[in-house]
Amino acid sequence: MVVTFKEENTIAFKHLFLKDYVDGADDSYAVYTQRDLYDRMFYAVEKYLAVPNETIGRYAYVRGESGGNQSSLMLCQQYYRKGRIDPANDTFNIDPKIVTDCLGVDPEDPQPLPPELDRSYKNFTLKFHKLINVTIQFKLKAINIQTIINNEIPDCYTFTITITFDNKAHSGRVKIRLDNRADIKECKDPSVFGRGDNSFRLFFDVVVILVCSLSFILCARSIIRGLMLQHEFSRFFQRRYNQNVCLSDRMEFLNGWYILLVISDVLTVLGTIMKIGIESKNFASYDVCSILLGTSTLLVWVGVIRYLTFFQKYNILIVTLRVALPNVIRFCCCVAVIYLGYCFCGWIVLGPYHVKFRSLSMVSECLFSLINGDDMFVTFAEMQQNSYLVWLFSQIYLYTFISLFIYMVLSLFIALITGSYETIK
């Protein structure tokens, strides 16, 4: 509900403060004339001032700091301190130092505004010839009352909305985006009539903590005893045969399943404690809590595989994975070198011409998709043909990568696992 509430409010803010906004048009939402830029900028400010009268949701302004010069809404432009561009003569004169000019706007207040803030925002003049960006930043408060359905006390949200008119490219296209950051905190004096009892949920959380703590103690005890036995065996082997025990033999005394359970128990206890704190409104770290509980759940289900080893047919598959794992890891390390080479090459050469190669992470995602046979035609078709040389390079690049990794790398990867299976069988 926390993520959904933030996402739905973000969509609502885009429709409220961005003129003529259409869902899914984030990448293409832009303006191309000075008049349209002023129009979109003043529209956002006017809609902010009209929030109490027009919005369906219940929002409240966050006033500026008392005694300070910070207003509820800050309209700022960033530009080069000195900038003169003359395309006709192929000359320019730019001072790269960035200057920020801001204007504060406050909603109607019964008290008079200070003289420096008592001016119309429509007199705000943009310096287009050296403009970098324009930002509109303000805060709104809201309460997520839908958590009452689950017998939870509602959270209070403070949304920090930033509307950016990005002109750093100076290409004649000013991209517009809206970013929303949510801060969650406990509401003051919450009062919910007929609220359900959460005693059973709290009791269940306490039971989970106790069971996981007991499991942690028993598994840790087994690991410690295994280490003690390993130490005794090493001393005996050294004294009896005058030889050192190799690392692989020493690791036989450590049970990997116990280590897995210890990590899972720690994550479960920490996540459950944070969950109790969130429900009692002492914490608001939803993301950290979800990562802890989600990871612990994954490790618990992985631990279930241990019990399948008692069955012969299932045990063959598990032993196959254990035997093939060292060879697979070495093979993946060798393949990773070639994969990174293709990633850097595609990022450097195809980045300006293909949307899927704009950043290194996007290149890696695209190539991994190609290995699995996904979006092949789209990747080829979206390549811009502005430069014939680059287009020809892209064809060679994609064909060699797909042929190498699908027909050779994946086949060798499967052969390693199949060979281990046939040996054990």
Side-chain angles (χ1 to χ4, degrees), residues 310-360:
F310 297 109
F311 302 94
Q312 182 178 2
K313 292 185 178 180
Y314 293 108
N315 189 47
I316 292 177
L317 300 178
I318 298 171
V319 173
T320 300
L321 294 177
R322 186 171 60 186
V323 172
L325 186 60
N327 292 330
V328 169
I329 292 177
R330 286 191 286 267
F331 177 75
C332 290
C333 290
C334 296
V335 172
V337 177
I338 305 175
Y339 184 81
L340 289 176
Y342 270 93
C343 287
F344 283 106
C345 178
W347 178 41
I348 295 171
V349 180
L350 305 181
Y353 300 94
H354 202 297
V355 67
K356 292 186 178 182
F357 291 82
R358 292 284 191 258
S359 65
L360 195 58

Side-chain angles (χ1 to χ4, degrees), residues 245-258:
V245 182
C246 63
L247 179 62
S248 60
D249 290 336
R250 291 201 304 268
M251 293 301 294
E252 292 294 330
F253 291 90
L254 286 179
N255 193 323
W257 296 112
Y258 290 154

Side-chain angles (χ1 to χ4, degrees), residues 41-50 73 75 105 121 136:
M41 185 175 65
F42 295 149
Y43 178 86
V45 178
E46 291 170 357
K47 288 298 180 181
Y48 168 76
L49 298 175
L73 181 146
L75 174 60
V105 180
Y121 59 88
I136 301 174

